[in-house]
Amino acid sequence: MPQSDHGDARKQRIQERRNVLHDTALHRRLAHHLPAAFNERWTRRHWIHASLFVTIGALAATIVPGFSNAIDSSLPSSHSTLALPLPPLSVARRGETPGDSWQIQRVQRGQTLGDLFEAAGVPATVMHRVLEHPGTRETLTKLRPGAEIAFDLPVNGTLRTIRFNRDADHRVELSLVGDEIREKITERATSTRTVVASGEITSSLYASARRAGLSPSAIATMTDEIFKYDIDFSKDLQPGDRFSVVMDETWREGERVDTSKILAATFQTGGKTYTGFRFERGGKFEYFDLNGRPLKKSFIRSPIQFARLSSNFGARRHPVLGTMRMHKGVDYAARTGTPIMAAGDARVQFAGTQRGYGNVVILDHGRGYTTLYGHMSRLGPFRNGQRVTQGQVIGYVGSTGMSTGPHLHYEFRVNGQHRNPLSVTMPPPEPLKGTELAAFRAQTAPAMARIQGMEELIYADANDGAKPSATQTASAAKPAPAAGKRG
């Protein structure tokens, strides 16, 4: 055997010997660290550990999206389509019976009439044709956000009828029949419910009244008309004051549209209870207290708001003549154009220009009482003999006549004698008498009973230490006499 072959064989044997020794050493190390797993039979503990590892691995393969997708992709998928028969079209639908295909569009802020027609799929030519109908353009071009227009579109998509509200009480339907447009106007029916609302002031009157269910207009009626003369709502109110109101709610198509008509109201503040009841006298509705005395005073102290008293009643040096003269009224300094109100219900005795008064209005209030308003910049739309009501604007502040600047000169006369408007005792308003008083008591007794019943219901628990509810409301459909509690 050649020398080279003998050397190669020897190297191969040495390498094989090294491999055997390496495997033997590795086996010994593993056997030393894991003797039970490789040198002995597995115990129950080994089998439990192995099962646990296999379970965890299976769960991981299921949860990880890649593994689940890989498993699902191996499954064959198949789709099938079945042809199902459609239900037959009704005879009414095929005959295009009106009322079966209405689409209602609600006006959004910034939306135009053209946008509404386009959203309904109605061409602009049809829109212009509708607008040419008498009285339609004025209504449809002044729609406010929230208003609704309904389009009757049958199967063929041609506009058949358009419906909209002309005003609060009338609904219009325009039917397009060939080249003709037929108009149908229906009245929007309303219903009235008598409601009792009661509340207790916690933070502010407005917030408490709103929680009790009173609308802003009803709150204004209570503060600016009923209790205006007896309660200073900017200073007198305190937490814990209570109010109750009997009012008529007007509903139309499930929506409350008016709550301003207050039939009766009570207000407890400062340890006193004030009442007000709505009653018609002489063809005009007024508010009276429980004894039939009008809540509205005969005169208001100041016929102008937001003005400064610039000159008092009495002797003074005349600013124009420079001599001492009796000032028979009071002056209120204000901007030119400030409205001047009638101090009470009256008849216009004189309206025009008169000597040093300039533009002047004299009102006759009856029973010997008259008031004068001088130096006006311009007069109100009244003529001699016309009737005015308390608070109605009769003119505007100016500086006409003998005047050094814009102001109102106001005089108060009793049987022709001048009196100080700031201190004169105002005549009491005429109370109800005779048959009017009897009718008033018969009308107000049920309303007062309902208020007392509601207050006893919601405030009775205050006597046994429980805190009364802040607001409660009860209502009854008119003319049912009993009131049910409403949440």
Side-chain angles (χ1 to χ4, degrees), residues 74 79 126 128 167 172 178 230 233 239 321 373 388 399 412 450:
S74 62
H79 299 277
V126 178
H128 291 295
D167 50 44
V172 178
D230 297 317
F233 287 97
L321 301 177
Y373 314 79
V388 296
S399 187
F412 192 93
R450 295 183 66 175

Side-chain angles (χ1 to χ4, degrees), residues 227-356:
F227 301 116
K228 172 183 179 181
Y229 300 93
D230 297 317
I231 303 174
D232 187 342
F233 287 97
S234 63
K235 299 178 181 179
D236 295 345
L237 300 187
Q238 297 292 332
D241 291 347
R242 299 173 180 175
F243 60 89
S244 296
V245 172
V246 179
M247 59 186 176
D248 278 349
E249 288 184 340
T250 303
W251 290 78
R252 181 189 295 115
E253 299 172 356
E255 179 183 3
R256 189 175 68 173
V257 295
D258 182 50
T259 58
S260 59
K261 184 179 178 181
I262 295 182
L263 305 179
T266 63
F267 209 106
Q268 301 177 27
T269 181
K272 297 181 179 179
T273 300
Y274 301 91
T275 60
F277 299 89
R278 192 173 189 261
F279 184 73
E280 184 179 3
R281 179 172 68 169
K284 184 174 64 174
F285 284 100
E286 301 179 48
Y287 285 96
F288 300 83
D289 65 10
L290 193 58
N291 298 317
R293 286 185 169 82
L295 297 179
K296 178 182 176 182
K297 307 305 180 186
S298 299
F299 295 90
I300 54 179
R301 286 290 180 183
S302 175
I304 184 173
Q305 293 181 327
F306 314 114
R308 174 178 59 87
L309 182 67
S310 58
S311 184
N312 215 324
F313 182 87
R316 67 163 187 176
R317 185 177 297 275
H318 196 280
V320 176
L321 301 177
T323 59
M324 292 298 296
R325 298 184 61 175
M326 181 65 180
H327 190 223
K328 300 179 180 180
V330 293
D331 293 344
Y332 293 98
R335 293 175 177 267
T336 299
T338 302
I340 301 171
M341 301 177 294
D345 297 341
R347 178 182 59 85
V348 178
Q349 186 181 87
F350 178 83
T353 303
Q354 192 177 97
R355 298 190 301 274

